[in-house]
Amino acid sequence: MSIEESSSAPEPVPVITPFRRVAVIGGGAWGSALAMVADRAGRETRLWIREAEAVAAIRAGGRNPFLPDHDMPAGISVTGDMGQALAGADLALLVIPSQFLRAMAAEVERHAAPGMPVVICSKGIERDTGLLMTQVIAEVMPGRPQAVLSGPSFAAEVAEGQPTAVTIASADVQPLEDDEDGPLDPESMGAALVASLAARVAVTLGTTSFRPYLSDDLTGVEVGGAVKNVLAIACGIAAGRGLGSNPRAAIITRGLAELKRLAQALGGRRETVTGLAGIGDLTLTCSSEQSRNFTFGLALGRGATPDEALAGKSAVVEGAVNAETVTALARRLGVEMPISEAVHAIIRGRLDIDAAMTALLTRPIRAESRALEPVVAIDHPASRASDLETTDA
């Protein structure tokens, strides 16, 4: 029987209503690029920028100093007034450096309509509390629906309209694991995901050049975004030392193992880490001087102090703080993360780069298998008596 003769009806296509009015809170390079995405998707878009000089520059010449090579579309309303940015908004994207998210989220909460969802586009772990960004939002904006957007996405390339894929995760997929009859089958889980906030955000932002994927694993997505910044510094350090491709491949691969361990310890899924928000973002950030974290590490590898490496940067280098927050969280959970520990020790001035590399390379020889790694440990023939410190100086 031909396809035309088949009596089976096609599966109904779910209709998901996009959000019409999008407020982007944070007008750095990434926030500006996401505002451009929303505008291309046909959404009424407002961009809030803290710096008055940036607002003035856009209004006068159409370009944001934080993204100077790209014209801001005329359809995007730019403002420094938070209330104006959020007035009538159906959805807010929070594109704020991780260590400032708490304060800015409190300001957003004062102006946002009840029940308006927020999408966290910040990557990191809060320094004073050790909380993930979703946990910060849960404290500051209790009961407000939230999602996370992350993935391999340099702002300049997104602004240019280059093809980009990201992950959007939300936790409103109910039930997440089991129902009263046992584990959910893929069709049931798929139907739940289609009905999620992540799906609605995805259809709000999806364009011919910006492709979202869906997840219900906020923790896995968040951990990927925080840890990759630290590993990018490690790759930059290696490049600054004049090392080649072998060390970078080793850092990315073994760094991925660290990322998986931390995500799993926090309740995330290892499979999430092998996706866009994990290995995708990790590979991008560890492989290009477009990455602020990579260039920070590059300067360290060439002999600059952390203060010198940060001097003159208009954008926040998240990994410089994440090195501290990630390792602190890992220690508290008993998760071994030697590369992250080494980066933290270098930034704190507790260990020079050559000593850190030697300590990493001469750690006890272990099995690569996840099951065997914890139980196999053979003294390295070139090991030194001392190893990386695991306590703060």
Side-chain angles (χ1 to χ4, degrees):
M1 184 169 60
S2 68
I3 294 175
E4 290 78 9
E5 295 171 333
S6 174
S7 60
S8 60
E11 289 292 324
V13 177
V15 177
I16 302 172
T17 304
F19 294 100
R20 280 200 316 124
R21 300 184 184 92
V22 177
V24 180
I25 307 301
W30 185 219
S32 298
L34 285 174
M36 293 179 187
V37 169
D39 179 72
R40 289 180 193 134
R43 312 306 161 211
E44 182 182 322
T45 306
R46 294 176 186 166
L47 175 62
W48 177 86
I49 305 180
R50 180 177 64 86
E51 295 81 2
E53 61 273 18
V55 174
I58 295 170
R59 289 176 177 172
R63 292 200 172 187
N64 187 342
F66 296 109
L67 196 64
D69 297 328
H70 303 278
D71 292 327
M72 186 67 64
I76 297 175
S77 174
V78 179
T79 180
D81 184 313
M82 183 70 76
Q84 186 179 65
L86 289 164
D90 303 310
L91 178 73
L93 309 186
L94 306 183
V95 199
I96 305 295
S98 59
Q99 303 311 309
F100 303 103
L101 181 64
R102 180 179 291 272
M104 291 312 307
E107 180 70 11
V108 171
E109 182 70 4
R110 283 193 284 272
H111 295 280
M116 183 201 70
V118 296
V119 181
I120 302 166
C121 306
S122 311
K123 299 176 181 180
I125 295 168
E126 192 172 45
R127 172 181 269 158
D128 294 338
T129 64
L131 296 178
L132 299 175
M133 298 296 96
T134 50
Q135 295 170 320
V136 172
I137 293 300
E139 285 192 355
V140 180
M141 311 175 86
R144 191 170 290 277
Q146 58 172 302
V148 175
L149 186 155
S150 190
S153 48
F154 284 139
E157 294 186 11
V158 171
E160 290 170 5
Q162 292 196 31
T164 301
V166 299
T167 299
I168 300 174
S170 63
D172 58 334
V173 181
Q174 297 293 336
L176 289 175
E177 296 294 341
D178 301 329
D179 62 16
E180 59 185 11
D181 297 321
L184 283 176
D185 62 273
E187 287 188 5
S188 297
M189 283 299 294
L193 198 56
V194 166
S196 70
L197 172 61
R200 195 172 178 197
V201 174
V203 299
T204 299
L205 299 178
T207 69
T208 55
S209 62
F210 194 81
R211 178 176 175 78
Y213 285 81
L214 307 180
S215 174
D216 65 335
D217 183 12
L218 282 88
T219 299
V221 171
E222 282 202 88
V223 172
V227 178
K228 65 93 182 179
N229 288 331
V230 183
L231 300 173
I233 294 175
C235 284
I237 290 171
R241 253 327 189 244
L243 303 179
S245 300
N246 291 357
R248 181 177 301 177
I251 291 169
I252 290 174
T253 306
R254 293 312 304 166
L256 183 64
E258 295 188 11
L259 206 165
K260 287 179 179 178
R261 287 197 289 266
L262 184 60
Q264 191 169 30
L266 288 166
R269 294 196 294 271
R270 293 174 69 91
E271 67 177 17
T272 303
V273 176
T274 62
L276 289 164
I279 194 170
D281 208 359
L282 176 63
T283 303
L284 181 80
T285 313
C286 289
S287 306
S288 173
E289 291 190 31
Q290 288 190 65
S291 163
R292 296 188 297 270
N293 296 290
F294 182 88
T295 55
F296 173 68
L298 191 68
L300 295 180
R302 290 171 175 169
T305 66
D307 287 343
E308 290 169 343
L310 291 170
K313 292 187 180 296
S314 59
V316 174
V317 179
E318 293 274 27
V321 176
N322 292 165
E324 175 186 342
T325 58
V326 165
T327 53
L329 180 59
R331 292 171 193 167
R332 191 162 70 246
L333 295 171
V335 175
E336 189 178 25
M337 300 185 71
I339 299 174
S340 300
E341 287 279 2
V343 172
H344 178 45
I346 289 168
I347 293 174
R348 290 291 297 271
R350 300 202 322 261
L351 202 62
D352 68 49
I353 291 171
D354 292 336
M357 289 193 295
T358 298
L360 283 171
L361 290 168
T362 58
R363 294 174 67 250
I365 297 170
R366 296 187 177 276
E368 192 172 34
S369 161
R370 175 165 64 106
L372 296 177
E373 184 183 22
V375 297
V376 174
I378 303 170
D379 285 342
H380 195 289
S383 63
R384 293 180 174 181
S386 62
D387 201 351
L388 289 174
E389 291 184 50
T390 57
T391 57
D392 284 323

